[in-house]
Structures are given as structure tokens and as C-alpha cells.
């Protein structure tokens, strides 16, 4: 994470805390329909994306919070990882792979 990203996140969080406003961590918004009415000022993770580490032999991939699923799938497909054919954002959480 760059210093600029850290500063931006920190400033938004501190400002919300000082002004007693809620924040809502968001990605692509694909699950905004789930769980009721959205509350809080969006804190987007979309700029914080990318594959940090990929070890196909160990079936381990580490990505930043805002990494699109399409980037994960492309990384897995590039290495012809067998998991790439089973990955589906609506059924398999990345943390359970």
C-alpha cells in the first residue's frame, strides 16, 4: 500500500470519527443489495488492488482488498490452476479457497 493510499484512508476514517459519521467499506458494490439499507459514507477499496503473492504449488493467493475477482480468475487461469474453474464470486468466498 502506498503512503498516499494510507494517508487517504486514514484521513477519511479520522474525519468520520471526529464528526461522528459512519463509514461503509465498499468494493465493487456487487453485494450492496444484501443486508438491508446501506448506511455510512463509502470508503472505497477499489484503488487498493492487485495480487500480492501467488503460490500455485501451495494453492495460496494473497490479494489486496479491492482486487476484482476477474483479476484473481485471470491470475489463476494464467497458471492453469485447477481452482480457476471452480471460482465463483456468488458461491465461494475467497477466504475459503
Amino acid at each position: 500500500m502506498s503512503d498516499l493510499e494510507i494517508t487517504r484512508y486514514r484521513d477519511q476514517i479520522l474525519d468520520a470519527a471526529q464528526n461522528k459519521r459512519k463509514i461503509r467499506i465498499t468494493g465493487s458494490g456487487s453485494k450492496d443489495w444484501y443486508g438491508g439499507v446501506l448506511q455510512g459514507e463509502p470508503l472505497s477499496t477499489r484503488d487498493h488492488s492487485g495480487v500480492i503473492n501467488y503460490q500455485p504449488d501451495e494453492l495460496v493467493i494473497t490479494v489486496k482488498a479491492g482486487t476484482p475477482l476477474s483479476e484473481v480468475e485471470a491470475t489463476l487461469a494464467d497458471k492453469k490452476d485447477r481452482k480457476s474453474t471452480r471460482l465463483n464470486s456468488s458461491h465461494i468466498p475467497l477466504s475459503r479457497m
Side-chain angles (χ1 to χ4, degrees), residues 30-76:
S30 63
K31 300 292 187 246
D32 282 354
W33 58 271
Y34 186 75
V37 178
L38 299 176
Q39 297 181 6
E41 178 182 328
L43 178 78
S44 177
T45 62
R46 291 190 87 165
D47 292 337
H48 184 60
S49 67
V51 176
I52 297 170
N53 182 27
Y54 178 47
Q55 300 174 33
D57 294 341
E58 298 294 327
L59 298 177
V60 172
I61 186 167
T62 306
V63 299
K64 295 178 183 179
T67 306
L69 186 56
S70 60
E71 186 174 341
V72 173
E73 291 172 330
T75 299
L76 297 176

Side-chain angles (χ1 to χ4, degrees), residues 54 59 69-89 92 97:
Y54 178 47
L59 298 177
L69 186 56
S70 60
E71 186 174 341
V72 173
E73 291 172 330
T75 299
L76 297 176
D78 284 347
K79 301 293 183 182
K80 299 196 181 352
D81 192 310
R82 285 178 270 148
K83 292 278 186 182
S84 65
T85 60
R86 293 182 40 208
L87 189 59
N88 181 316
S89 64
I92 302 173
M97 286 183 48

Side-chain angles (χ1 to χ4, degrees), residues 1-13 48:
M1 182 181 279
S2 73
D3 289 343
L4 182 59
E5 286 176 311
I6 292 170
T7 300
R8 186 175 59 86
Y9 287 128
R10 184 197 66 210
D11 290 349
Q12 190 172 354
I13 292 166
H48 184 60

